[in-house]
Amino acid sequence: MNPPGDELPLAELLVDFAREAGLEAQVVPTPAGKSKVGRAAAWARLAGRGRDRPVVLLSHLDVVPADPGGWAVDPFQGLVAGGYVMGRGALDAKGLAITHLLALTELARRDASLTRDVIFLAVPDEETGGRDGAGFLVRKRRDLIGDAEFLLAEGGGILAADTGSANVWGVAVAEKAPCWTRLTAKGTSGHASTGGLHGPVPRLVSALERVRRLQTEVRVVPDVERMFAALAPLGEPEDRAGLATLGAALETDPAFRRRFLADEARAALVRTTIAITVLRAGTSPNVVPEEARAELDVRLLPGDRCDDFLEGLREVIADPSIRIEPILAFESKSSPADTALFRAIRAVARDIDPGALVVPRVIAGFTDAHYFRELGVVSYGFVPRWLPPSETRGVHGVNERVSVDNLERGVEATIRILEELGR
Ligand SMILES: [Zn+2]
C-alpha cells in the first residue's frame, strides 16, 4: 500500500508471469523518494507487425491503505470466495493490471498477429499523484512506450444498469484538473492572555470564510455538453430535454438548473469545486501561534488554468498578508473521441453488449492518464467490467471486491478491443 509503496515484489511477480508466457518483459526501477522500500514498474510487450503505432495498457501497482476494522475480510489476504476476489486493489487497480496482463498473454498464446505493439505498463505511486511513477517514466523512460498512439487506463468503465435499462460504457476522454492550494497566515507568537484578534488564526479563518462562501461560475465545456447529450435518453423524463442541450438549459430553465446542480456529482462537472480539507495551527490554547495554514482541494474544469483561479482567489480573499500558493497543479488536456480506438470500443460494445450506450465521459477525479495526454498520446479511461453502483463504492472504501466472472469478461473484452484496433 502507498504510502510507502513497496511495489517491487508485485512488479517482479507480474514480469515473471509475462516471461513464462513468452512475452518480452522487464522490471523498471523507479525512485524510492522518501520511502525506504523497493519501488518499480512492470513492463511487457506483445510485438505486432509494426504497421501502426503502439497501444499502451496502463494500470498501477500501488493501493490506498485499508483499515481492517470496517472490512468483512482481511483486506490484504487476497481471498477468493463466493465467486469474488476480495481485498484492497481488487478494483483499483490490481484487478485491472491482471486483466491487462492476461489479455496480453492470451493474445500471445493465440499467436495473434496485430498491426501494432501492445505494451503493458503497471506503474507505482499513482495513488499519491504519480510523480515517482508515471511522471518519472514519461520524463526518463520514454523508450518504454515508444511512439505510442493510444493508451487505455482506469477512470471510466461500464455502469451495469438495472434490468430494462441500457448499460453505459463510459469512456473517459477528459478529467478535471487539480489546483491544490495552500493558504498561510504568519504573525508573531505570544501570550494569548492579552487577546490575539489579529493573529494568524483569526486572519486565516476570515479568509476561509470568504472561500467557503465563494460561488464558482456554472459553465459547460464542450466535452461535458457532449457527454450529457449522449446520456440524455437515460435521464428522468422531465430532464431529458435539458440534458440534451445542457449549456442552454442551465441558463434558461431555472427549475432544471436547480435539479441538475442539486446532484453534487453532476454539479462538479460544470463548475470549479473547492473543498477546504486541511487546517493546521497552534499547539496550546494560551499561545498565539506564529503561523496558521489551510489547504484547499480545488478542481478546475478541463482547459482552465490554476494561475487564473489563484488570481481570482486573491481578489476574493483581499488580504495581502495571506500567502496563496499552488501545491499541486497541472493543466487538463482532453483526448478526441473520434479515433480508431473509440470506434473499436464501440464496435465491441455493439457485439458483446447489444443496446449499451457508449459515452465519451469527463470525470471529476484525475488519474495518471494526464501524463500521457501531455505527450499527445490519445488516452482513454476505460475498464471493461460491468459494475453496479453498489460495487464501485469499494474503490478506496471497505470490502472492495471484483467478481471472477467480471475479470474473465474483462480479459475477453480487452482482447476483442485490441483485435478490433489491430487488424
Ligand atoms: Zn487507481
Side-chain angles (χ1 to χ4, degrees):
M1 85 189 147
N2 186 11
D6 202 11
E7 298 92 343
L8 178 62
L10 180 55
E12 287 171 340
L13 189 81
L14 297 180
V15 165
D16 284 348
F17 182 82
R19 282 186 182 147
E20 271 163 40
L23 295 167
E24 178 191 356
Q26 57 173 303
V27 173
V28 185
T30 59
K34 275 183 224 139
S35 62
K36 298 269 180 287
V37 296
R39 309 202 74 175
W43 178 94
R45 180 167 62 155
L46 176 68
R49 302 201 301 274
R51 197 192 79 192
D52 298 319
R53 291 155 59 203
V55 54
V56 180
L57 304 178
L58 177 74
S59 59
H60 60 89
L61 302 172
D62 61 320
V63 294
V64 293
D67 172 7
W71 284 65
V73 299
D74 174 352
F76 290 101
Q77 186 190 350
L79 184 72
V80 183
Y84 283 86
V85 180
M86 310 200 48
R88 177 57 86 226
L91 296 168
D92 180 17
K94 292 177 181 173
L96 178 61
I98 297 300
T99 301
H100 284 166
L101 190 54
L102 287 175
L104 222 64
T105 55
E106 179 60 17
L107 281 165
R109 201 188 60 79
R110 293 181 193 175
D111 253 334
S113 165
L114 303 177
T115 62
R116 55 180 92 229
D117 287 1
V118 183
I119 295 166
F120 167 85
L121 183 60
V123 300
D125 202 43
E126 193 272 348
E127 295 291 359
T128 51
R131 258 172 292 202
D132 288 338
F136 167 80
L137 296 171
V138 301
R139 280 194 316 275
K140 303 284 186 191
R141 295 298 312 270
R142 278 287 296 278
D143 57 301
L144 294 173
I145 62 162
D147 59 345
E149 180 176 14
F150 295 120
L151 177 137
L152 271 178
E154 62 181 352
I158 303 169
L159 183 65
D162 304 330
T163 39
S165 184
N167 292 334
V168 177
W169 287 42
V171 180
V173 298
E175 302 175 347
K176 288 185 79 180
C179 169
W180 295 357
T181 302
R182 180 178 295 140
L183 308 182
T184 312
K186 284 191 183 289
T188 320
S189 147
H191 202 287
S193 60
T194 52
L197 275 181
H198 305 290
V201 173
R203 276 188 287 119
L204 183 68
V205 167
S206 46
L208 288 177
E209 178 56 13
R210 290 174 178 209
V211 172
R212 193 181 71 85
R213 289 171 178 277
L214 186 62
Q215 294 275 349
T216 53
E217 169 206 9
V218 170
R219 189 157 45 86
V220 181
V221 300
D223 285 332
V224 170
E225 178 95 20
R226 179 181 57 191
M227 164 182 160
F228 281 103
L231 289 170
L234 300 180
E236 296 295 327
E238 74 267 31
D239 285 343
R240 282 178 201 161
L243 294 171
T245 55
L246 187 64
L250 286 174
E251 269 179 28
T252 56
D253 183 344
F256 171 77
R257 182 186 169 100
R258 226 174 296 117
R259 287 197 303 275
F260 185 88
L261 295 179
D263 179 334
E264 281 189 349
R266 295 197 301 195
L269 295 178
V270 296
R271 62 174 11 148
T272 293
T273 57
I274 306 169
I276 303 171
T277 45
V278 176
L279 268 181
R280 288 208 183 95
T283 50
S284 173
N286 59 353
V287 178
V288 174
E290 217 167 33
E291 184 182 285
R293 217 162 72 185
E295 288 172 8
L296 316 176
D297 181 348
V298 178
R299 304 289 176 114
L300 307 174
L301 291 174
D304 284 5
R305 294 177 57 242
C306 191
D307 284 349
D308 296 337
F309 171 81
L310 294 181
E311 208 180 299
L313 191 67
R314 284 193 186 95
E315 275 168 36
V316 168
I317 290 176
D319 178 350
S321 80
I322 307 265
R323 192 165 81 220
I324 302 171
E325 60 192 331
I327 45 180
L328 171 75
F330 54 80
E331 246 188 279
S332 164
K333 292 196 168 25
S334 51
S335 288
D338 174 28
T339 67
L341 179 55
F342 201 95
R343 286 190 291 277
I345 294 171
R346 198 191 292 280
V348 172
R350 205 178 295 137
D351 241 27
I352 67 175
D353 196 351
L357 222 51
V358 184
V359 177
R361 273 188 60 191
V362 179
I363 59 171
F366 65 91
T367 70
D368 276 346
H370 74 90
Y371 290 113
F372 298 88
R373 288 199 180 107
E374 281 156 25
L375 297 181
V377 181
V378 171
S379 303
Y380 294 151
F382 179 68
V383 180
R385 64 186 164 216
W386 287 255
L387 293 182
S390 61
E391 277 188 32
T392 57
R393 280 196 282 274
V395 173
H396 295 203
V398 298
N399 298 325
E400 183 176 351
R401 63 176 196 171
V402 65
S403 71
V404 174
D405 180 50
N406 241 329
L407 287 171
E408 288 172 359
R409 290 168 77 193
V411 171
E412 196 49 43
T414 304
I415 291 171
R416 296 288 298 275
I417 291 167
L418 293 171
E419 285 176 339
E420 190 70 33
L421 183 67
R423 67 165 100 253

